[in-house]
Amino acid sequence: MEPIVQLGTEHVNPALSDPALGVMNFLNQVAMQFPQAISLAPGRPPEEHFAIGATLPYIERFVREGDLTQLHKADRHGIDSLGQYGRTNGVIGGLIARLLRRDEGILAAGNDIVVTIGAQEAMCLCLLTLCGRPGDVALTVDPAYIGMAGAARLLGIDVVGVPCSDTGIDLHALEKTVQDLARLGRRARVLYLCSDHANPTGLTLSVSERRRLLQAAQSLDLLLIEDGAYSYFCYDTQPLPPLKSLEGGERVIYLGSFAKTVFPGLRMGYVVAGQRVAVAVGESASLADEMSKAKSLLSVNTPALMQAVVGGLLLAHDCSLRDYVQPRVRAIHASRDAMLAALDKYAPRRADGSRPITWTRPSGGFFLTVTMPRPIGNAELLDCAKRYGVTWTPMSYFLLDQSPSPQLRLSFSYVTPDEAAEGIRRLAAWMQHFIDI
Amino acid sequence: MEPIVQLGTEHVNPALSDPALGVMNFLNQVAMQFPQAISLAPGRPPEEHFAIGATLPYIERFVREGDLTQLHKADRHGIDSLGQYGRTNGVIGGLIARLLRRDEGILAAGNDIVVTIGAQEAMCLCLLTLCGRPGDVALTVDPAYIGMAGAARLLGIDVVGVPCSDTGIDLHALEKTVQDLARLGRRARVLYLCSDHANPTGLTLSVSERRRLLQAAQSLDLLLIEDGAYSYFCYDTQPLPPLKSLEGGERVIYLGSFAKTVFPGLRMGYVVAGQRVAVAVGESASLADEMSKAKSLLSVNTPALMQAVVGGLLLAHDCSLRDYVQPRVRAIHASRDAMLAALDKYAPRRADGSRPITWTRPSGGFFLTVTMPRPIGNAELLDCAKRYGVTWTPMSYFLLDQSPSPQLRLSFSYVTPDEAAEGIRRLAAWMQHFIDI
């Protein structure tokens, strides 16, 4: 037998023992243990719309029509120039700038955009560039996508939550948090949030809430990190203007992703970071340029072939993805409707007709939340998977402190309408256990 | 005009002001300023051998013949399953394990391999998992590829150098460094090095030096991070066994890259990390599993399409790349020979026939080093580019403290034999300035 090196716990980064990193593991284990269960857990786009075979030829289109001047020796080597080391911040910033102008009303220069390995790398770049000093704190709405807080903890950066729910972000708590930190000599640098159909709450901020948040950021000297992951997935209303496009938007760092609009396996995202940074007396650089230094040490480049797929796709669609994503928007919309209808039909009522269990009616996105009469967690999830054949995600997974919560997140993005209805029928049977007779 | 947010220096991570991050910038500026100069600077593989058009069909081969069981719903969606979120540590670990066994004599389990965004992400994963506590120190041979020390600094991890040259690593200094750190209550966790044709020194360790280094690692309780980036590029000798394949190799974390053997734009690398880690009393996990937690927060996944390119290529070549890389090995070998012949022919001699300027004769890899009579840096580089039309890299760029060095690094990987010869002819004219008459 080969000798084994056994490393003690003292050898390993304690951030890796963070319970937040274990919860997704538990969810995967449940999924593997009960493969026949209907999963209302994963926040994935449906594969039916990926059409990878039809997407790869966009590489050729980008090579024919794209701006390859940022690629080395592109004139001599055509497509092979995509194989070389390239510009750290990527080669499709200009096309993404046109996309942002058309689809989001965001005005950005191509040079202010860093093309990243999904939005996840973009979060790391924000944290590494902006929260790198002792006393720096990253704020995130709470609950939120766990990748932001997880990255902060991995990188040794303190993260503090600002309460939010499906009805809004608590701006009073935001102000108090920033002031409390300041009294301790610490500085809140950034606040991470999603303004449209947020994961996991489904929250969409109204335009007036967006304006109030921008004013708060201004008065608290805070940068906002706006995650636009779900901005295309509007079902009942027209898209609202992103924070980045509104007055005061210069305080916003915008994160984009092609995971939901094209497919996740591309690992294509970006960050818009045109803020100016003093780098020496009288000299400034763009935040995107500072981020490029960090990116050169994380991933060197975003794979140029993946950039070319998106670049060619944007060229072929005149730099708008609104029409391109319609089939999947319609599909997920239908699954949402089926899920809501099934909840109306199957969820338990009291004798007087009232509902002991409530749920949200999100106007878009991938998720809704259900509020149970008491906190639920792993034990209830396991029981529900085993006895009722349906899985979901406890809201506690998304809370910074993992505290018990009576809420759960249901995803309707990765199921057909029939699966959504059947999943809810099963879930409703499980819900009966929570009703006082 | 749009309002601008101006962030003071206190807002930005001071690690980004590290001069090491500026040097490559300077090199790029020189390259842009003098586009007609022959560049003996970049450590790039030649594009002539990328054949991207012929490489993309390997995706289909992987989908047909690869083990897709690690992909979600692969049975239902074929190639489209590559578009979904997938296993964090990747889906071609088993094929890479076969490659390592055939080409390197390394025995590894597929599950102990993390497929990464190039070797750069692998370095970050090593640092984040193993150097995450106060007092932890990463060691690197010095000079070395700057990506390792740069990543450590970006991540706030102290890095200390162990002197090395084209003749060897100073094991006495290694021992003293580790002991000195221990006396200060600090712990050297890892030592980064390249055992074959290292960047920038060209150093290849002999088998007995490898054994001595492994013994030192054992007695100093140190893990070695062995970077195999240039292992295929042997010109004069047979490949030597990697540290990882020798007795005591269980202390070695092996980093691999497909940047030089396939092409850099894939951003495909990997890390072999089968060490056991205590995660709780009586429980252990593999280091690869701990790394997966960190990877899930840096990049989520390595793009599955890029994995499929390499996976299909490995399937098509029975999991050996030795024959596949022969054309580029021969090409770079020829450029090395042309560069050495030109140095013999053109480099200045004293009246007595002796050489005031010396250079190395590496048995493989991409680089040789030249030792000048006095320290050289940016000023000399700029002058040489401007007046003689040839560029190179000052060795000081690769030193941890950026201290002045009389050495420079010449790359022969990205020039034809004719360009190598002409570059050296120009360089020799510049060298005349350094000769005392």
Side-chain angles (χ1 to χ4, degrees):
Chain A
M1 197 175 136
E2 236 210 340
I4 286 172
V5 170
Q6 175 87 39
L7 304 171
T9 46
E10 76 282 5
H11 284 82
V12 180
N13 188 337
L16 297 174
S17 315
D18 193 294
L21 288 171
V23 293
M24 289 302 157
N25 228 357
F26 181 80
L27 207 57
N28 286 334
Q29 279 167 19
V30 173
M32 281 196 293
Q33 210 178 332
F34 304 101
Q36 299 310 316
I38 291 177
S39 180
L40 306 178
R44 294 174 165 180
E47 279 125 47
E48 282 74 5
H49 307 277
F50 290 177
I52 291 179
T55 307
L56 287 177
Y58 287 123
I59 294 173
E60 289 284 357
R61 178 142 188 176
F62 180 74
V63 170
R64 278 201 316 275
E65 296 174 33
D67 174 11
L68 296 186
T69 54
Q70 292 176 321
L71 293 170
H72 200 78
K73 293 191 182 175
D75 47 336
R76 233 170 74 189
H77 293 288
I79 191 172
D80 284 337
S81 60
L82 292 175
Q84 195 51 274
Y85 293 107
R87 184 173 175 270
T88 307
N89 281 358
V91 294
I92 61 167
L95 292 171
I96 293 173
R98 286 169 58 195
L99 172 75
L100 286 169
R101 182 183 288 250
R102 282 206 61 186
D103 282 0
E104 307 282 2
I106 291 171
L107 304 182
N111 279 338
D112 292 337
I113 292 170
V114 187
V115 183
T116 55
I117 311 284
Q120 188 64 42
E121 188 188 35
M123 292 176 203
C124 291
L125 295 181
C126 292
L127 290 163
L128 285 167
T129 51
L130 294 167
C131 301
R133 291 178 186 258
D136 285 350
V137 175
L139 305 181
T140 170
V141 294
D142 187 26
Y145 166 65
I146 64 167
M148 183 68 181
R153 286 169 171 164
L154 177 69
L155 299 170
I157 295 163
D158 282 334
V159 58
V160 172
V162 174
C164 85
S165 68
D166 59 287
T167 59
I169 297 171
D170 185 340
L171 291 188
H172 180 73
L174 169 62
E175 192 180 350
K176 187 167 180 315
T177 300
V178 173
Q179 290 166 350
D180 287 351
L181 285 168
R183 265 192 291 276
L184 296 168
R186 314 183 67 201
R187 293 160 306 278
R189 293 297 190 196
V190 295
L191 169 66
Y192 168 82
L193 78 153
C194 187
S195 37
D196 297 303
H197 324 301
N199 176 13
T201 56
L203 172 68
T204 295
L205 297 177
S206 69
V207 174
S208 61
E209 286 169 325
R210 289 170 201 235
R211 294 197 193 280
R212 279 198 295 277
L213 180 59
L214 285 163
Q215 283 158 8
Q218 171 75 36
S219 70
L220 298 170
D221 190 18
L222 199 62
L223 293 170
L224 301 178
I225 301 176
E226 179 179 30
D227 186 340
Y230 304 97
S231 69
Y232 286 83
F233 295 86
C234 297
Y235 313 136
D236 303 330
T237 55
Q238 288 301 304
L240 296 178
L243 291 164
K244 181 68 190 159
S245 71
L246 295 173
E247 191 186 333
E250 66 274 9
R251 291 209 154 256
V252 178
I253 296 167
Y254 186 84
L255 308 187
S257 168
F258 295 101
K260 276 75 183 177
T261 49
V262 189
F263 53 86
L266 285 172
R267 308 306 311 124
M268 281 288 297
Y270 58 90
V271 48
V272 183
Q275 287 79 13
R276 303 299 301 177
V277 176
V279 289
V281 180
E283 257 185 82
S284 75
S286 83
L287 183 55
D289 286 339
E290 292 298 291
M291 286 183 177
S292 87
K293 297 181 192 171
K295 180 172 169 68
S296 74
L297 297 167
L298 288 186
S299 63
V300 182
N301 288 172
T302 301
L305 287 166
M306 303 291 87
Q307 294 188 66
V309 167
V310 172
L313 181 70
L314 291 176
L315 285 167
H317 294 82
D318 202 15
C319 289
S320 171
L321 292 179
R322 293 266 171 219
D323 290 344
Y324 178 77
V325 300
Q326 269 318 299
R328 70 181 81 184
V329 169
R330 272 196 299 273
I332 301 175
H333 183 168
S335 294
R336 182 209 60 167
D337 289 351
M339 186 175 277
L340 287 174
L343 280 163
D344 288 336
K345 181 171 172 189
Y346 296 121
R349 288 185 191 271
R350 296 196 193 86
D352 66 358
S354 68
R355 300 281 197 188
I357 289 164
T358 57
W359 57 92
T360 58
R361 295 182 174 275
S363 62
F366 285 20
F367 311 107
L368 63 79
T369 64
V370 172
T371 303
M372 305 292 292
R374 60 174 173 82
I376 46 146
N378 285 353
E380 288 81 3
L381 169 58
L382 197 61
D383 179 61
C384 186
K386 194 171 166 178
R387 296 204 294 157
Y388 297 91
V390 61
T391 62
W392 34 265
T393 317
M395 185 61 76
S396 59
Y397 286 18
F398 303 98
L399 287 164
L400 268 185
D401 63 1
Q402 305 271 305
S403 60
S405 163
Q407 290 195 309
L408 53 90
R409 187 193 78 174
L410 301 184
S411 166
F412 44 80
S413 67
Y414 198 57
V415 283
T416 62
D418 285 352
E419 289 167 337
E422 172 61 14
I424 295 300
R425 197 188 59 78
R426 298 180 187 187
L427 189 72
W430 168 78
M431 286 172 170
Q432 293 295 338
H433 295 283
F434 294 80
I435 312 307
D436 297 320
I437 312 230
Chain B
M1 195 175 137
E2 237 213 337
I4 286 174
V5 170
Q6 175 87 40
L7 305 171
T9 46
E10 76 283 5
H11 284 82
V12 180
N13 188 339
L16 297 174
S17 315
D18 193 294
L21 288 171
V23 292
M24 289 301 158
N25 228 358
F26 182 81
L27 206 57
N28 286 336
Q29 279 166 19
V30 173
M32 281 196 293
Q33 209 179 333
F34 304 101
Q36 299 310 316
I38 290 176
S39 180
L40 306 178
R44 295 175 164 180
E47 279 126 45
E48 282 74 5
H49 307 278
F50 290 177
I52 292 178
T55 306
L56 287 178
Y58 286 123
I59 295 173
E60 290 283 358
R61 177 142 189 174
F62 180 73
V63 170
R64 276 201 317 277
E65 297 174 31
D67 174 12
L68 296 187
T69 54
Q70 292 175 324
L71 293 170
H72 200 78
K73 293 192 182 174
D75 48 336
R76 236 171 72 191
H77 293 287
I79 192 173
D80 284 337
S81 59
L82 292 175
Q84 194 51 273
Y85 293 106
R87 184 174 175 269
T88 307
N89 280 358
V91 293
I92 61 166
L95 292 171
I96 292 173
R98 286 169 57 193
L99 172 76
L100 286 170
R101 181 185 286 252
R102 279 205 63 185
D103 282 0
E104 306 284 2
I106 290 171
L107 303 183
N111 280 338
D112 292 338
I113 292 169
V114 187
V115 184
T116 54
I117 310 284
Q120 188 64 42
E121 186 188 34
M123 290 175 205
C124 291
L125 295 181
C126 291
L127 290 163
L128 285 167
T129 50
L130 294 167
C131 302
R133 290 177 186 257
D136 286 350
V137 175
L139 305 180
T140 169
V141 294
D142 187 28
Y145 166 65
I146 63 167
M148 183 67 183
R153 285 168 172 162
L154 177 70
L155 299 170
I157 295 164
D158 282 334
V159 58
V160 172
V162 174
C164 83
S165 68
D166 60 286
T167 59
I169 298 171
D170 186 339
L171 291 189
H172 180 73
L174 170 61
E175 192 180 354
K176 187 166 179 318
T177 301
V178 174
Q179 289 166 350
D180 287 351
L181 287 167
R183 264 191 291 276
L184 297 168
R186 312 182 68 202
R187 292 160 307 277
R189 292 297 191 196
V190 296
L191 169 65
Y192 168 82
L193 78 152
C194 187
S195 37
D196 297 301
H197 325 300
N199 176 14
T201 56
L203 172 66
T204 295
L205 298 177
S206 68
V207 174
S208 59
E209 285 168 326
R210 290 170 201 234
R211 293 195 193 281
R212 278 198 296 278
L213 180 59
L214 286 164
Q215 283 157 7
Q218 170 74 35
S219 69
L220 298 170
D221 191 17
L222 198 63
L223 293 171
L224 301 178
I225 300 175
E226 179 179 30
D227 186 340
Y230 303 98
S231 69
Y232 285 83
F233 295 87
C234 297
Y235 312 135
D236 302 331
T237 55
Q238 289 302 304
L240 295 179
L243 291 164
K244 182 67 189 160
S245 71
L246 295 173
E247 190 186 333
E250 65 273 10
R251 292 210 152 257
V252 178
I253 295 167
Y254 186 84
L255 307 187
S257 166
F258 296 101
K260 277 75 183 178
T261 49
V262 189
F263 54 84
L266 286 173
R267 306 307 311 123
M268 280 288 297
Y270 59 90
V271 48
V272 183
Q275 287 78 14
R276 302 300 300 178
V277 176
V279 289
V281 180
E283 257 187 83
S284 75
S286 83
L287 183 55
D289 287 339
E290 292 298 292
M291 286 183 176
S292 86
K293 297 181 191 171
K295 179 170 169 68
S296 73
L297 297 166
L298 289 185
S299 62
V300 184
N301 288 172
T302 300
L305 287 166
M306 302 290 87
Q307 294 188 64
V309 167
V310 171
L313 182 69
L314 291 177
L315 285 167
H317 294 83
D318 201 14
C319 289
S320 171
L321 293 178
R322 293 268 168 218
D323 289 346
Y324 178 78
V325 300
Q326 268 319 300
R328 72 181 77 185
V329 169
R330 272 196 300 272
I332 302 176
H333 183 169
S335 293
R336 183 209 61 169
D337 289 351
M339 185 175 277
L340 286 174
L343 280 162
D344 288 335
K345 181 173 174 187
Y346 296 119
R349 288 183 190 273
R350 295 197 192 86
D352 65 359
S354 66
R355 300 281 198 188
I357 288 165
T358 57
W359 57 91
T360 58
R361 296 182 172 275
S363 61
F366 286 19
F367 311 108
L368 63 80
T369 64
V370 172
T371 303
M372 304 290 293
R374 61 175 172 81
I376 47 145
N378 285 353
E380 288 82 2
L381 170 58
L382 197 61
D383 178 64
C384 186
K386 194 170 166 178
R387 298 204 293 157
Y388 297 91
V390 60
T391 62
W392 33 266
T393 317
M395 186 60 76
S396 59
Y397 286 18
F398 303 98
L399 287 164
L400 268 185
D401 63 1
Q402 305 271 307
S403 60
S405 164
Q407 290 194 308
L408 55 89
R409 187 193 79 173
L410 301 183
S411 167
F412 44 80
S413 67
Y414 198 57
V415 283
T416 63
D418 284 352
E419 288 167 339
E422 172 60 16
I424 294 300
R425 199 189 58 77
R426 298 179 186 186
L427 189 73
W430 169 78
M431 285 174 171
Q432 293 295 338
H433 294 282
F434 294 80
I435 312 308
D436 298 322
I437 313 226

